[in-house]
Amino acid sequence: MPTDCIPFSETNYFLPLISDYLDEKEELKPFYHRFPKLENFKLQLEEKGESFNDSATGGKDKRATLVNVLQNQYENLDVSEATAKNIASLAENNAFTITTGHQLNLFTGPLYFLYKIISTINLTSELKKKYPEYNFVPIYWMATEDHDFEEINFFNLHGKKFQWNPPKSEKDGGAVGELPTEGMEEVLKLFSAEIGSSQKAEKLKKFFETAYLKHSNLTDATRYLANELFKDHGLVIVDAHERDLKRFFIPYMKEELLSQKSHATTLPKAEALAGMGYGVQVNPREINLFYLSEGLRERVKERDGRYFVHDTEISWSKEEMLDLLESEPEKFSPNVILRPLYEEVILPNLCYIGGGGELAYWFELKDYFGAVDIPFPILLLRNSALIQTQKQDEKRRKLDISNKELFLKQHELINKKVRQISNIDIDFGPQKEHLVEQFQKMYELAEKTDKSFLGAVKAQEVKQLKGLDNLEKRLLKAQKRKLEDEVTRITDLQNELFPNQSLQERHHNFSEFYLEYGDDFIAELFRELQPLDHNFKIISF
């Protein structure tokens, strides 16, 4: 299957911050620890091992608890030998993790869910070859404590939106992982009608039915589905919304409540990024914790020595709050600023793999990790890809469009191709250059005679150049009408590959390609997505 790639910076879809990071720009080095190169993992292994395995910080207890929690979470699943071996290995000091995280999107949501996990699994394989004396475990961190239901309750297939509209529940407004899977029957009915009854379609229906109709909440459903897709590759799925895991995070949550160290250290980093022209991905709050209870996940705030849950009447004195934290740490949930630290506290993690937006907020956190003496992980941009069918690839070649040109804005692509295929020259550049030369002589003449004439010359130059611009645009527009068939074909192809003028991976669900290629689709992604190759892949099936 032919493949191609282009630099992320040339796709026009990624933040300048990410492009500059991949280019290892000098000014960004204070915002990360080690760049994701295979040789840099040696020092990361040594640093994380010394920190995480330290008996003074409870390393052995952490590892044992992590294994016990994972084995309990997998109790009702078909656990592959590879996954069981990876879970058990985490008890040993030579086992380390590579982690990615994602929301509990319905039926995996957009394609990049797969890209994240495959990047993570493939990196563990590369590391094992380079450092065979260690074990490397791929982790999918489920964002079970999120509460942005509208972001996760749908997926797209064949240009249609399949949306889950559950009945009202007392758990609404709380952590999405606890939501009951009621109402999924209607989604399955519509999905089944859409995909038909081929062998591949029946397998997809089985995935959906077992995940969402035979599991009672969104966490269990998502764990089942991710396990079915990736268990043969040893993926380990973590739900960190567990009391036994959060007890290791108590000292950091306590510090957050009492000293707000995260705000003091991340705000200057965020301001520095903004001052460099990159903008701010996440604005840190003074307290970056949520309070969790059934149907509620709301911010914790402090005022006049008391702690409050935002938009509620719940409040505590300082002593009451600290007692609650010690006795029921599961009632506290880290937000986007604290969640990375929580990951690194409870996992022997070397590297976090995420999208551009995720890495952008990680760049705000380096000084905070230093302040709490936790090693900052290597940050790796997940793989990205554009999938072309053989038919689409043939259309592209007939239209003489390069893979790089596909990423142009639609009006830029159309204008460029119309200029190329027209039998007349639509570029008035030479005429404009000639006009500028003529006016330059008039400027010289005005300088020698009457300098007050310069303004009139300049106004006339601007007027005539604008006139040429207008003529060029009218000619281009006329040629578009004349070449309407070619313009339509170009537009249709780009709309197929970039739905809503956005990246395919942010729109399409994996089922769109699984219907056509089955398990070969995922197998091909494993072959093509190389995590340390910092380029955007174009894969033609």
Side-chain angles (χ1 to χ4, degrees):
M1 297 181 183
T3 62
D4 195 1
C5 65
I6 63 173
F8 280 95
S9 59
E10 296 181 10
T11 66
N12 304 309
Y13 282 98
F14 287 81
L15 297 169
L17 173 62
I18 300 305
S19 297
D20 289 349
Y21 174 57
L22 295 178
D23 288 340
E24 299 185 70
K25 291 289 181 66
E26 191 68 29
E27 58 267 29
L28 279 177
K29 291 185 177 179
F31 297 89
Y32 64 93
H33 192 31
R34 295 186 177 96
F35 192 74
K37 296 177 180 177
L38 205 55
E39 59 271 22
N40 286 347
F41 278 88
K42 180 61 176 174
L43 288 175
Q44 194 74 23
L45 278 160
E46 294 171 356
E47 182 182 25
K48 186 66 178 186
E50 183 178 347
S51 170
F52 195 84
N53 295 331
D54 188 349
S55 59
T57 59
K60 189 172 182 180
D61 188 20
K62 279 185 189 178
R63 286 185 178 275
T65 301
L66 179 61
V67 170
N68 184 60
V69 166
L70 287 169
Q71 288 174 340
N72 288 338
Q73 290 183 353
Y74 271 83
E75 190 174 13
N76 297 316
L77 285 182
D78 177 16
V79 186
S80 69
E81 181 180 347
T83 294
K85 183 179 178 181
N86 275 340
I87 291 173
S89 76
L90 289 169
E92 305 300 325
N93 285 351
N94 70 335
F96 294 88
T97 62
I98 306 297
T99 300
T100 193
H102 199 68
Q103 295 173 299
L104 308 187
N105 292 75
L106 183 61
F107 210 48
T108 76
L111 267 171
Y112 68 85
F113 171 83
L114 270 69
Y115 299 168
K116 276 185 168 183
I117 292 177
I118 291 172
S119 297
T120 303
I121 294 169
N122 279 350
L123 181 56
T124 61
S125 298
E126 286 194 48
L127 289 170
K128 185 63 177 175
K129 292 175 185 175
K130 178 71 173 177
Y131 306 106
E133 67 272 28
Y134 296 97
N135 289 320
F136 302 95
V137 179
I139 298 288
Y140 162 40
W141 178 289
M142 293 195 294
T144 58
E145 297 175 48
D146 279 3
H147 66 292
D148 297 318
F149 178 70
E150 289 75 19
E151 294 182 5
I152 66 169
N153 70 332
F154 67 93
F155 65 94
N156 298 300
L157 172 64
H158 299 156
K160 300 175 183 178
K161 186 176 183 178
F162 293 81
Q163 185 166 316
W164 173 36
N165 298 303
K168 292 291 182 182
S169 166
E170 58 188 10
K171 297 182 184 294
D172 291 351
V176 294
E178 297 177 356
L179 288 175
T181 51
E182 297 174 12
M184 290 290 189
E185 297 88 350
E186 184 61 26
V187 183
L188 176 59
K189 180 180 177 182
L190 295 172
F191 179 53
S192 298
E194 177 66 27
I195 64 177
S197 57
S198 69
Q199 187 176 359
K200 299 182 185 74
E202 291 301 322
K203 190 168 183 179
L204 285 171
K205 292 177 196 175
K206 190 68 175 176
F207 280 153
F208 192 100
E209 180 182 11
T210 307
Y212 297 105
L213 273 61
K214 297 184 179 179
H215 292 87
S216 60
N217 61 59
L218 199 54
T219 292
D220 291 344
T222 305
R223 183 189 291 112
Y224 165 81
L225 184 57
N227 183 62
E228 283 300 302
L229 291 172
F230 297 110
K231 62 185 178 184
D232 291 343
H233 299 276
L235 180 69
V236 174
I237 304 158
V238 173
D239 172 15
H241 183 26
E242 289 274 0
R243 177 177 181 168
D244 285 349
L245 294 177
K246 284 190 175 176
R247 68 182 175 89
F248 294 108
F249 200 52
I250 290 174
Y252 304 93
M253 292 193 284
K254 182 178 180 180
E255 192 168 47
E256 180 70 8
L257 292 168
L258 296 179
S259 67
Q260 288 103 56
K261 187 176 288 185
S262 68
H263 181 264
T265 52
T266 58
L267 185 61
K269 281 295 191 188
E271 290 175 342
L273 286 169
M276 294 164 66
Y278 292 121
V280 177
Q281 187 70 18
V282 175
N283 287 301
R285 300 185 184 277
E286 290 186 355
I287 296 178
N288 293 284
L289 284 172
F290 287 94
Y291 176 73
L292 272 181
S293 67
E294 189 169 75
L296 178 68
R297 183 178 186 259
E298 192 51 81
R299 287 185 286 126
V300 175
K301 305 177 77 173
E302 186 268 337
R303 187 172 65 248
D304 299 327
R306 288 191 67 83
Y307 293 91
F308 297 82
V309 177
H310 183 63
D311 276 349
T312 75
E313 296 182 0
I314 303 171
S315 71
W316 307 269
S317 67
K318 182 171 75 172
E319 293 74 18
E320 289 170 337
M321 173 61 95
L322 295 179
D323 286 345
L324 180 63
L325 180 61
E326 289 285 348
S327 61
E328 299 182 84
E330 70 277 10
K331 288 193 172 181
F332 295 88
S333 175
N335 77 351
V336 67
I337 291 291
L338 282 195
R339 189 267 305 152
L341 181 66
Y342 181 36
E343 288 178 6
E344 298 302 314
V345 166
I346 67 170
L347 294 176
N349 196 50
L350 303 173
C351 174
Y352 183 80
I353 298 179
E358 289 176 283
L359 265 55
Y361 68 71
W362 274 90
F363 288 136
E364 300 175 28
L365 303 175
K366 184 171 181 287
D367 286 357
Y368 176 42
F369 274 70
V372 295
D373 200 26
I374 296 293
F376 196 65
I378 290 173
L379 302 178
L380 177 60
L381 183 66
R382 64 167 173 83
N383 286 119
S384 284
L386 173 67
I387 308 298
Q388 293 184 98
T389 65
Q390 184 177 352
K391 186 176 180 181
Q392 288 167 334
D393 195 31
E394 289 173 356
K395 285 181 182 178
R396 179 186 65 80
R397 293 175 187 278
K398 286 180 180 178
L399 290 167
D400 194 26
I401 299 173
S402 70
N403 281 320
K404 183 178 177 180
E405 286 173 332
L406 283 173
F407 288 82
L408 291 171
K409 299 296 183 185
Q410 193 161 92
H411 71 278
E412 294 175 351
L413 175 61
I414 291 170
N415 288 349
K416 182 175 184 178
K417 302 320 288 185
V418 166
R419 292 177 189 276
Q420 285 180 359
I421 61 181
S422 291
N423 55 6
I424 58 173
D425 189 0
I426 305 176
D427 182 9
F428 283 11
Q431 289 86 344
K432 292 174 187 176
E433 289 179 11
H434 180 69
L435 187 65
V436 169
E437 289 175 4
Q438 295 303 309
F439 272 94
Q440 185 59 41
K441 293 178 182 178
M442 295 184 70
Y443 285 130
E444 293 171 0
L445 180 63
E447 285 279 357
K448 293 177 182 178
T449 55
D450 186 356
K451 292 185 179 181
S452 64
F453 189 51
L454 286 171
V457 174
K458 181 63 177 176
Q460 192 60 226
E461 181 186 25
V462 170
K463 181 179 179 180
Q464 292 199 30
L465 285 172
K466 187 175 181 180
L468 282 175
D469 280 338
N470 289 334
L471 285 173
E472 186 176 341
K473 288 175 183 176
R474 289 183 65 181
L475 182 58
L476 183 60
K477 189 174 181 180
Q479 281 299 98
K480 286 180 184 178
R481 288 196 299 269
K482 184 177 180 181
L483 301 169
E484 183 178 359
D485 181 56
E486 285 85 350
V487 169
T488 298
R489 287 160 56 203
I490 292 169
T491 302
D492 288 347
L493 176 62
Q494 196 186 49
N495 286 344
E496 288 177 15
L497 295 172
F498 295 83
N500 302 323
Q501 292 297 288
S502 67
L503 288 177
Q504 176 195 74
E505 63 185 34
R506 294 190 167 275
H507 184 273
H508 285 11
N509 182 258
F510 85 99
S511 59
E512 189 138 341
F513 298 98
Y514 194 94
L515 278 171
E516 182 71 23
Y517 307 108
D519 291 334
D520 289 344
F521 172 63
I522 296 177
E524 183 65 13
L525 292 180
F526 269 103
R527 283 190 288 270
E528 294 296 342
L529 299 181
Q530 301 303 317
L532 298 176
D533 176 10
H534 307 303
N535 287 292
F536 192 108
K537 275 290 183 79
I538 298 97
I539 304 173
S540 298
F541 274 81

